[in-house]
Amino acid sequence: MRRKIGLVLALWGLWFSGLATACYTVVEQNINVPAPTAHEWLFATQNLWYFNDEISPERLRSMAYYVRDRLQSPHLLAVQEVSSHDVLMQLADVIKGVGGPEYETWLIPGTDAGSMHLGVLVRRPLKVDSVSLLFQRVGTRTSVSLFQRQPLHVRLARPAMDVVVLHQRSGLGLPEKRVAQQRLQQAKLVQQWAQQRYSEGNEVLVLGDFNTHLKPDLFGQPYAVYNQYPLRNALELVAEEERFTYIYRCQRQAVDHIFMTPGLWEKTTRAAVSRGNAGRYRVLYATKGEQVVSDHDGVVAYLTITP
């Protein structure tokens, strides 16, 4: 399996590296998100791009500096494409070793065939009450489960809220009807869950790699489902020309999002996107993630602290 993944990455690298030279939409400069003030909590999401147990110490350090500097050491960092809790704990140790904060980490393996799972890093003053997988039984009677990567549910005690980390099914296979339906079913289930929790008096924040963009086309259909009451996208607070986290065939796309319910929206002062990853495939593949750490830029939202 790992050899097969390596071959796929190599082929993608050759293809994308050729495209990158012609893409004028790529931001080559590394740009940090603004640092939070003393009265803000920073929530962030970052796809770590095949962050597996065989990564080099150099890549671990690069990712640690990225979290510390480019993402400004978020209070809660949702991550995707992580192979194990062990490697996530290693990342937390290296972050602390380079002068960053001390993180607690959680990762519960799902059923993804490529062993790419969802995780979360949390630091003080946030406090975690519980962590579990959502929708584990959905689709178990079919040959393919509805969620290969089950959403990770983090219940925070401080501040009191539900956090859901997502990695939506990719668009690989579109416009095949089966693929489109699965993506829509995932979105509807998560949206309904958020509606239910909010109706019960809970604030909900849903963040991660949604694999769906803002445009009203087939790839954007799940976004239209998520972007309904009571959820609202923090990217609304980002300048329109900066609303992208990924570059596909030279086209800027916003595929990573932070949605929240009204009580959290009222506390959100601003949002931002890091720069220096999206579209830089040549360097990403050539250095195996040691210089450019991912193919996604990170998204952050700043929430005010109430005394």
Side-chain angles (χ1 to χ4, degrees):
M1 174 61 72
R2 286 173 177 167
R3 288 183 179 179
K4 190 178 288 187
I5 290 175
L7 178 60
V8 170
L9 290 178
L11 292 173
W12 282 358
L14 289 173
W15 182 54
F16 280 125
S17 64
L19 288 176
T21 60
C23 287
Y24 299 102
T25 56
V26 174
V27 179
E28 301 285 349
Q29 182 183 2
N30 295 334
I31 302 175
N32 302 342
V33 301
T37 68
H39 302 290
E40 290 176 324
W41 280 334
L42 188 58
F43 290 78
T45 179
Q46 179 67 59
N47 184 308
L48 297 190
W49 186 73
Y50 292 102
F51 208 72
N52 60 52
D53 294 329
E54 298 176 353
I55 64 173
S56 66
E58 290 78 12
R59 188 178 179 200
L60 269 172
R61 283 194 294 271
S62 293
M63 186 60 75
Y65 282 116
Y66 178 88
V67 173
R68 190 195 70 177
D69 299 332
R70 199 93 58 85
L71 297 182
Q72 299 289 351
S73 300
H75 293 87
L76 183 146
L77 174 59
V79 292
Q80 304 86 46
E81 296 197 16
V82 183
S83 64
S84 70
H85 190 212
D86 285 344
V87 74
L88 193 60
M89 288 191 294
Q90 289 179 48
L91 176 60
D93 288 342
V94 178
I95 292 172
K96 184 179 178 181
V98 298
E102 182 174 357
Y103 280 106
E104 291 186 274
T105 61
W106 286 266
L107 182 146
I108 302 176
T111 57
D112 181 64
S115 297
M116 292 289 103
H117 308 301
L118 305 175
V120 65
L121 299 92
V122 180
R123 69 176 177 95
R124 295 178 181 178
L126 273 63
K127 184 177 180 181
V128 173
D129 182 48
S130 63
V131 179
S132 60
L133 293 179
L134 292 178
F135 315 127
Q136 293 191 72
R137 299 182 179 225
V138 175
T140 54
R141 293 185 179 180
T142 63
S143 59
V144 178
S145 172
L146 179 61
F147 288 96
Q148 285 76 48
R149 299 176 289 250
Q150 289 89 355
L152 190 68
H153 176 209
V154 181
R155 178 63 185 167
L156 290 180
R158 185 186 185 197
M161 59 189 288
D162 288 303
V163 176
V164 178
V165 183
L166 284 186
H167 193 176
Q168 165 96 20
R169 191 205 191 285
S170 76
L172 187 65
L174 288 176
E176 185 179 339
K177 184 177 180 180
R178 176 185 60 83
V179 175
Q181 288 180 338
Q182 184 180 12
R183 285 164 51 81
L184 277 177
Q185 288 171 353
Q186 288 180 346
K188 288 176 181 178
L189 201 59
V190 173
Q191 229 281 349
Q192 289 167 2
W193 186 91
Q195 285 185 21
Q196 180 63 34
R197 292 294 291 170
Y198 182 64
S199 70
E200 295 169 352
N202 302 285
E203 296 295 340
V204 180
L205 187 144
V206 185
L207 74 173
D209 179 356
F210 287 67
N211 268 317
T212 181
H213 61 195
L214 311 179
K215 297 179 181 179
D217 55 15
L218 187 61
F219 187 68
Q221 282 183 350
Y223 180 83
V225 174
Y226 287 115
N227 195 37
Q228 297 180 50
Y229 184 86
L231 296 181
R232 195 164 178 181
N233 195 347
L235 283 180
E236 291 181 34
L237 302 175
V238 176
E240 189 171 356
E241 65 273 13
E242 291 297 324
R243 294 177 192 170
F244 70 95
T245 64
Y246 191 76
I247 296 178
Y248 177 69
R249 296 184 178 178
C250 296
Q251 298 298 312
R252 291 178 171 181
Q253 299 179 332
V255 299
D256 304 88
H257 307 284
I258 301 178
F259 284 96
M260 60 192 71
T261 49
L264 298 178
W265 178 263
E266 292 175 0
K267 298 177 185 296
T268 303
T269 55
R270 51 187 172 144
V273 182
S274 69
R275 289 290 172 242
N277 294 337
R280 298 181 67 188
Y281 298 104
R282 180 186 293 276
V283 180
L284 176 67
Y285 285 98
T287 67
K288 298 180 181 179
E290 293 178 6
Q291 292 183 24
V292 173
V293 298
S294 176
D295 50 351
H296 291 244
D297 289 322
V299 183
V300 301
Y302 303 77
L303 278 66
T304 54
I305 298 173
T306 54

